[in-house]
Amino acid sequence: PFLPSPSRFDPTEQFVVPMVALSKCATTAARIAGRRALFGNAPVRTFATADWVKTAREMKDTPYDPAKEGKISAPDYVGWDAEIEADFQKLQVGFKGGERPYKEICDSA
């Protein structure tokens, strides 16, 4: 059906729009086309980013003050050292060999 342009739109006029069985993609495409016809290419959703960007920049530019924020401590991480390797090796089970232990698996489940 012919839809009038926004300049000739009369809100009291009733439009009869036939319902057509469309696929989900075609329905979505038709909905988007309808929005674009009414609103142009304006975004459907707008998000105000200025507030959180402003807050993030303020936090970035604020120097650390231990009097206000307290003492910060972190462990001295030296990487994968001999102590971690020893603990890791203790946890390794390895291949037991033989058949699958179905009885033990069923009992534990």
Side-chain angles (χ1 to χ4, degrees):
F2 172 75
L3 294 176
S5 67
S7 61
R8 295 187 305 161
F9 181 73
D10 181 10
T12 61
E13 187 177 340
Q14 294 181 352
F15 294 100
V16 178
V17 180
M19 296 302 292
V20 180
L22 297 173
S23 70
K24 189 173 185 179
C25 292
T27 304
T28 303
R31 192 170 357 111
I32 292 170
R35 272 194 218 128
R36 286 192 179 148
L38 291 174
F39 303 112
N41 282 331
V44 176
R45 296 180 185 168
T46 58
F47 298 99
T49 56
D51 293 338
W52 66 268
V53 170
K54 180 182 169 190
T55 304
R57 288 184 178 147
E58 286 175 5
M59 290 173 67
K60 177 185 72 93
D61 295 335
T62 303
Y64 169 68
D65 183 10
K68 285 187 194 174
E69 301 178 40
K71 183 179 181 232
I72 295 176
S73 64
D76 184 24
Y77 179 71
V78 293
W80 193 278
D81 59 357
E83 181 183 353
I84 294 174
E85 179 66 27
D87 290 340
F88 179 75
Q89 290 302 327
K90 279 191 254 177
L91 296 173
Q92 299 305 305
V93 178
F95 180 69
K96 291 185 178 182
E99 294 181 12
R100 284 188 54 99
Y102 291 109
K103 186 175 185 299
E104 293 172 17
I105 292 171
C106 291
D107 289 344
S108 68

Coordinates of all heavy atoms in Angstrom, one line a residue, residues 36-79:
R36 N 13.4 3.4 8.9 CA 14.2 4.4 8.1 C 13.3 5.3 7.3 O 13.7 6.5 7.1 CB 15.2 3.6 7.2 CG 16.3 3.0 7.9 CD 17.4 2.5 7.0 NE 18.5 2.0 7.8 CZ 19.2 1.0 7.4 NH1 19.1 0.4 6.2 NH2 20.2 0.6 8.2
A37 N 12.2 4.8 6.9 CA 11.2 5.7 6.2 C 10.7 6.8 7.1 O 10.5 7.9 6.6 CB 10.1 4.8 5.6
L38 N 10.5 6.4 8.3 CA 9.9 7.4 9.3 C 11.0 8.3 9.9 O 10.8 9.5 10.0 CB 9.2 6.8 10.4 CG 7.9 6.1 10.0 CD1 7.3 5.3 11.2 CD2 6.8 7.1 9.5
F39 N 12.1 7.8 10.2 CA 13.1 8.5 11.0 C 14.4 8.8 10.2 O 15.3 9.3 10.8 CB 13.5 7.8 12.3 CG 12.3 7.5 13.2 CD1 11.9 6.2 13.3 CD2 11.6 8.5 13.8 CE1 10.8 5.9 14.1 CE2 10.5 8.2 14.6 CZ 10.1 6.9 14.8
G40 N 14.5 8.3 9.0 CA 15.7 8.5 8.3 C 16.8 7.5 8.8 O 16.4 6.4 9.3
N41 N 18.0 7.8 8.7 CA 19.1 6.9 9.2 C 19.5 7.3 10.6 O 20.6 7.0 11.0 CB 20.3 7.0 8.2 CG 20.0 6.2 7.0 OD1 19.3 5.2 7.0 ND2 20.7 6.6 5.9
A42 N 18.6 7.9 11.4 CA 19.0 8.2 12.8 C 19.1 6.9 13.5 O 18.4 5.9 13.3 CB 17.9 9.0 13.4
P43 N 20.0 6.8 14.4 CA 20.2 5.5 15.2 C 19.0 5.3 16.0 O 18.3 6.2 16.5 CB 21.4 5.8 16.1 CG 21.6 7.3 16.1 CD 21.0 7.8 14.8
V44 N 18.7 4.0 16.2 CA 17.5 3.6 17.0 C 17.8 3.8 18.4 O 16.9 4.3 19.2 CB 17.1 2.1 16.7 CG1 16.0 1.7 17.5 CG2 16.8 2.0 15.2
R45 N 19.0 3.5 18.9 CA 19.3 3.7 20.3 C 20.5 4.6 20.4 O 21.4 4.5 19.6 CB 19.7 2.3 20.9 CG 18.6 1.3 21.0 CD 19.1 0.1 21.6 NE 18.1 -0.9 21.6 CZ 18.3 -2.2 21.8 NH1 19.5 -2.6 22.2 NH2 17.3 -3.1 21.8
T46 N 20.5 5.4 21.3 CA 21.7 6.3 21.6 C 22.1 6.1 23.0 O 21.3 6.0 23.9 CB 21.3 7.8 21.3 OG1 20.3 8.1 22.2 CG2 21.0 8.0 19.9
F47 N 23.4 6.1 23.2 CA 23.9 5.9 24.6 C 24.8 7.1 24.9 O 25.6 7.5 24.1 CB 24.8 4.6 24.6 CG 24.0 3.4 24.4 CD1 24.0 2.8 23.1 CD2 23.2 2.8 25.4 CE1 23.3 1.6 22.9 CE2 22.5 1.7 25.1 CZ 22.5 1.1 23.9
A48 N 24.5 7.7 26.1 CA 25.3 8.8 26.5 C 26.6 8.3 27.1 O 26.7 7.7 28.1 CB 24.6 9.6 27.5
T49 N 27.7 8.5 26.4 CA 29.0 8.0 26.8 C 29.8 9.1 27.5 O 30.8 8.8 28.1 CB 29.9 7.5 25.6 OG1 30.0 8.6 24.7 CG2 29.2 6.3 25.0
A50 N 29.4 10.3 27.5 CA 30.2 11.4 28.0 C 30.4 11.3 29.5 O 31.5 11.6 30.0 CB 29.5 12.7 27.7
D51 N 29.4 10.8 30.3 CA 29.5 10.7 31.7 C 30.6 9.7 32.2 O 31.5 10.0 33.0 CB 28.2 10.3 32.4 CG 27.1 11.4 32.2 OD1 27.5 12.6 32.0 OD2 25.9 11.1 32.3
W52 N 30.5 8.5 31.6 CA 31.5 7.5 32.1 C 32.9 7.8 31.5 O 33.9 7.5 32.1 CB 31.0 6.1 31.8 CG 30.9 5.7 30.3 CD1 29.8 5.8 29.5 CD2 32.0 5.2 29.5 NE1 30.1 5.4 28.3 CE2 31.4 5.0 28.2 CE3 33.3 4.9 29.7 CZ2 32.2 4.5 27.2 CZ3 34.1 4.4 28.7 CH2 33.5 4.1 27.4
V53 N 33.0 8.4 30.3 CA 34.3 8.8 29.8 C 34.9 9.8 30.7 O 36.1 9.8 31.0 CB 34.1 9.2 28.3 CG1 35.4 9.8 27.8 CG2 33.7 8.1 27.4
K54 N 34.1 10.8 31.1 CA 34.6 11.9 31.9 C 35.1 11.3 33.2 O 36.2 11.7 33.7 CB 33.4 12.9 32.2 CG 33.8 14.0 33.0 CD 32.6 14.9 33.2 CE 32.9 16.0 34.3 NZ 31.7 16.7 34.7
T55 N 34.3 10.4 33.9 CA 34.7 9.8 35.1 C 36.0 9.0 35.0 O 36.9 9.1 35.8 CB 33.6 8.9 35.6 OG1 32.4 9.6 35.8 CG2 34.0 8.3 37.0
A56 N 36.1 8.3 33.9 CA 37.3 7.5 33.6 C 38.6 8.4 33.5 O 39.6 8.1 34.0 CB 37.1 6.6 32.4
R57 N 38.4 9.5 32.8 CA 39.5 10.4 32.6 C 39.9 11.0 33.9 O 41.1 11.2 34.2 CB 39.2 11.4 31.6 CG 39.2 10.8 30.2 CD 38.9 11.9 29.1 NE 39.0 11.2 27.8 CZ 38.2 11.6 26.8 NH1 37.4 12.6 26.9 NH2 38.3 10.9 25.6
E58 N 38.9 11.4 34.8 CA 39.2 11.9 36.1 C 40.0 10.9 36.9 O 41.0 11.3 37.6 CB 38.0 12.4 36.8 CG 37.3 13.6 36.3 CD 36.0 13.9 36.9 OE1 35.6 13.2 37.9 OE2 35.3 14.9 36.5
M59 N 39.6 9.7 36.9 CA 40.3 8.6 37.7 C 41.7 8.4 37.2 O 42.6 8.3 38.0 CB 39.5 7.3 37.6 CG 38.2 7.4 38.4 SD 37.2 5.9 38.1 CE 38.2 4.7 38.9
K60 N 41.9 8.5 35.8 CA 43.2 8.3 35.3 C 44.1 9.4 35.7 O 45.3 9.2 35.9 CB 43.1 8.2 33.7 CG 44.4 8.1 33.0 CD 44.2 8.2 31.5 CE 43.9 9.6 31.1 NZ 44.9 10.4 30.7
D61 N 43.6 10.6 35.7 CA 44.5 11.8 36.0 C 44.6 12.0 37.5 O 45.4 12.9 37.9 CB 43.9 13.0 35.4 CG 43.9 12.9 33.8 OD1 44.7 12.2 33.3 OD2 43.0 13.6 33.2
T62 N 43.9 11.3 38.4 CA 44.0 11.5 39.8 C 45.2 10.7 40.3 O 45.3 9.5 40.2 CB 42.8 11.0 40.5 OG1 41.7 11.8 40.0 CG2 42.9 11.3 42.0
P63 N 46.2 11.3 41.0 CA 47.3 10.6 41.5 C 46.9 9.8 42.8 O 45.9 10.1 43.4 CB 48.4 11.7 41.9 CG 47.5 12.9 42.1 CD 46.4 12.8 41.2
Y64 N 47.6 8.7 43.0 CA 47.4 7.8 44.2 C 47.8 8.5 45.4 O 48.9 9.0 45.6 CB 48.1 6.5 44.0 CG 48.1 5.7 45.2 CD1 47.0 5.1 45.7 CD2 49.3 5.5 46.0 CE1 47.0 4.3 46.8 CE2 49.3 4.7 47.1 CZ 48.1 4.1 47.5 OH 48.1 3.4 48.7
D65 N 46.8 8.6 46.4 CA 47.1 9.2 47.7 C 46.9 8.2 48.8 O 45.8 7.8 49.1 CB 46.2 10.4 47.9 CG 46.4 11.1 49.2 OD1 47.5 10.9 49.8 OD2 45.6 12.0 49.6
P66 N 48.1 7.7 49.4 CA 47.9 6.6 50.4 C 47.2 7.1 51.6 O 46.6 6.3 52.4 CB 49.4 6.2 50.7 CG 50.2 7.1 49.9 CD 49.4 8.0 49.1
A67 N 47.2 8.4 51.9 CA 46.5 8.9 53.1 C 45.0 8.7 52.9 O 44.3 8.4 53.9 CB 46.8 10.4 53.3
K68 N 44.4 8.9 51.7 CA 43.0 8.7 51.5 C 42.6 7.3 51.2 O 41.6 6.8 51.7 CB 42.6 9.5 50.3 CG 42.5 11.0 50.5 CD 41.9 11.6 49.2 CE 42.0 13.1 49.1 NZ 41.6 13.5 47.8
E69 N 43.5 6.6 50.4 CA 43.1 5.2 49.9 C 43.7 4.1 50.7 O 43.4 2.9 50.4 CB 43.4 5.2 48.4 CG 42.7 6.2 47.6 CD 43.1 6.2 46.2 OE1 43.3 5.1 45.6 OE2 43.3 7.3 45.6
G70 N 44.6 4.4 51.6 CA 45.2 3.3 52.4 C 46.4 2.7 51.6 O 46.7 3.0 50.5
K71 N 47.1 1.8 52.3 CA 48.3 1.1 51.7 C 47.8 0.0 50.8 O 47.0 -0.8 51.1 CB 49.2 0.6 52.8 CG 50.4 0.0 52.3 CD 51.3 -0.5 53.5 CE 52.6 -1.0 52.9 NZ 52.9 -2.3 53.3
I72 N 48.4 0.0 49.6 CA 48.2 -1.1 48.7 C 49.4 -2.0 48.6 O 50.5 -1.6 48.5 CB 47.9 -0.5 47.3 CG1 46.7 0.3 47.3 CG2 47.8 -1.7 46.2 CD1 46.4 1.0 45.9
S73 N 49.1 -3.3 48.8 CA 50.2 -4.3 48.7 C 49.9 -5.4 47.7 O 48.7 -5.7 47.6 CB 50.5 -4.9 50.1 OG 49.4 -5.6 50.5
A74 N 50.9 -5.9 47.1 CA 50.7 -7.0 46.1 C 51.8 -8.0 46.3 O 52.9 -7.6 46.6 CB 50.6 -6.5 44.7
P75 N 51.6 -9.3 46.2 CA 52.6 -10.2 46.3 C 53.7 -10.1 45.2 O 53.4 -9.6 44.1 CB 51.9 -11.6 46.2 CG 50.7 -11.3 45.5 CD 50.3 -9.9 45.8
D76 N 54.9 -10.4 45.6 CA 56.0 -10.3 44.6 C 56.0 -11.5 43.7 O 56.5 -12.6 44.0 CB 57.3 -10.2 45.3 CG 58.5 -10.0 44.4 OD1 58.2 -9.5 43.2 OD2 59.6 -10.4 44.7
Y77 N 55.3 -11.4 42.6 CA 55.2 -12.5 41.7 C 56.4 -12.6 40.8 O 56.7 -11.7 40.0 CB 53.9 -12.4 40.8 CG 53.7 -13.5 39.8 CD1 53.3 -14.7 40.2 CD2 53.9 -13.3 38.4 CE1 53.1 -15.8 39.4 CE2 53.8 -14.3 37.5 CZ 53.3 -15.6 38.0 OH 53.2 -16.6 37.1
V78 N 57.1 -13.8 40.9 CA 58.3 -13.9 40.1 C 58.1 -14.9 39.0 O 59.1 -15.2 38.3 CB 59.5 -14.5 41.1 CG1 59.8 -13.4 42.1 CG2 59.0 -15.7 41.7
G79 N 56.9 -15.3 38.7 CA 56.7 -16.2 37.6 C 56.6 -17.7 38.1 O 56.5 -18.0 39.2

